[in-house]
Amino acid sequence: MDKAEFDRFADAYDEQHRANIAVSGEGPEYFAEYKIKCLRQIVDRNQLKVSQICDFGSGIGNSIPFFLRFFPEAALTSSDVSERSLALGKQRYPDAGESMLIEKDRIPCESGRFDVVFSACVFHHIPHDEHVAWLRELHRITRQGGLIAVFEHNPLNPLTVHAVNTCPFDENARLVFPRDLARRLQASGWSSPQVQYSLFFPRALAWLRPIEGMLGWLPFGAQYVALARKS
């Protein structure tokens, strides 16, 4: 999907996304909160001080209220190739920080600015042969010792694959295998990449969700996060 397609889907994104994930019993808010809460746990576990966060591929800003809740001490920069998506995010959350339009092959900010770079289900929209270049660009804008957290759909989970295959704005998506993303992180200069799986239980089995934190090694969660540091 290119910039024009993202702009075209921006206004209908929330409605289509909500319909597409209805089988899980949850809405977009649940999944957005899940990721940012997970990121908070990762940051705390790594004892990382966070004052600047970049949301790479922020879309219409679904993660913004959860960044504000779980990272109240940090300045948030929402970045995307879609000008319309950024405008909608700003309209929904006018006081949520800076918006940054990504053009061509560069993120328009200085090197070493961010403590954390976050990306949620973006890389399956980027051609795989461009992954290393974008991960290298994210490495550039991250400070020494900073963290990258890339959340992606798990192609080993059949329900996830079905959801992607039936989603209008995922028509051109190509899912990313965790081992490939970890290898590309390393190739782009990131250190010690690791993968953690998540989202194992739908709402009907919500009583089992407290144990999800112990299942990060199991490669059948609906999503995963690939983590690495800038050494």
Side-chain angles (χ1 to χ4, degrees):
M1 187 183 293
D2 61 20
K3 176 186 182 300
E5 286 180 290
F6 278 119
D7 282 341
R8 181 166 56 86
F9 275 105
D11 289 272
Y13 176 85
D14 189 69
E15 181 183 346
Q16 291 184 355
H17 183 39
R18 195 174 296 276
N20 187 244
I21 60 175
V23 67
S24 71
E26 303 290 358
E29 301 81 8
Y30 172 79
F31 295 102
E33 179 180 12
Y34 191 105
K35 293 180 183 69
I36 309 305
K37 186 177 181 181
C38 178
L39 180 64
R40 179 80 251 184
Q41 293 167 348
I42 291 164
V43 162
D44 291 345
R45 190 165 64 239
N46 284 273
Q47 298 181 320
L48 183 64
K49 185 178 179 181
V50 179
S51 60
Q52 293 273 350
I53 299 174
C54 177
D55 183 354
F56 175 70
S58 56
I60 64 171
N62 282 350
S63 297
I64 288 175
F66 306 108
F67 275 119
L68 297 177
R69 182 192 307 175
F70 290 104
F71 292 90
E73 76 285 6
L76 176 65
T77 298
S78 299
S79 63
D80 206 285
V81 298
S82 168
E83 193 167 4
R84 178 57 182 161
S85 295
L86 288 173
L88 287 171
K90 200 71 176 174
Q91 181 181 316
R92 296 169 76 198
Y93 307 103
D95 301 318
E98 181 185 355
S99 294
M100 195 160 56
L101 181 65
I102 300 170
E103 296 184 286
K104 298 183 179 177
D105 58 355
R106 194 173 189 277
I107 300 169
C109 76
E110 66 275 17
S111 299
R113 173 176 170 180
F114 296 103
D115 306 293
V116 171
V117 169
F118 166 88
S119 178
C121 300
V122 170
F123 275 82
H124 63 265
H125 290 295
I126 299 174
H128 285 214
D129 60 359
E130 296 180 15
H131 284 183
V132 169
W134 281 109
L135 290 169
R136 201 172 279 145
E137 179 66 355
L138 293 173
H139 185 271
R140 179 188 68 81
I141 67 171
T142 304
R143 70 162 172 85
Q144 211 74 20
L147 172 81
I148 187 170
V150 181
F151 287 81
E152 271 298 332
H153 296 312
N154 183 7
L156 299 175
N157 183 295
L159 293 179
T160 296
V161 172
H162 174 75
V164 170
N165 288 342
T166 56
C167 184
F169 51 79
D170 282 337
E171 182 180 359
N172 298 316
R174 184 180 162 208
L175 295 184
V176 189
F177 282 93
R179 65 179 180 274
D180 292 334
L181 186 51
R183 188 170 64 245
R184 289 163 193 166
L185 281 163
Q186 194 146 33
S188 54
W190 295 93
S191 297
S192 306
Q194 54 185 284
V195 171
Q196 178 180 315
Y197 296 90
S198 61
L199 293 170
F200 291 87
F201 305 111
R203 189 172 185 175
L205 297 174
W207 58 277
L208 288 170
R209 286 176 178 171
I211 69 168
E212 285 192 335
M214 297 181 285
L215 300 175
W217 56 273
L218 188 64
F220 300 119
Q223 293 187 350
Y224 66 89
V225 58
L227 306 166
R229 301 289 292 271
K230 181 174 179 177
S231 61

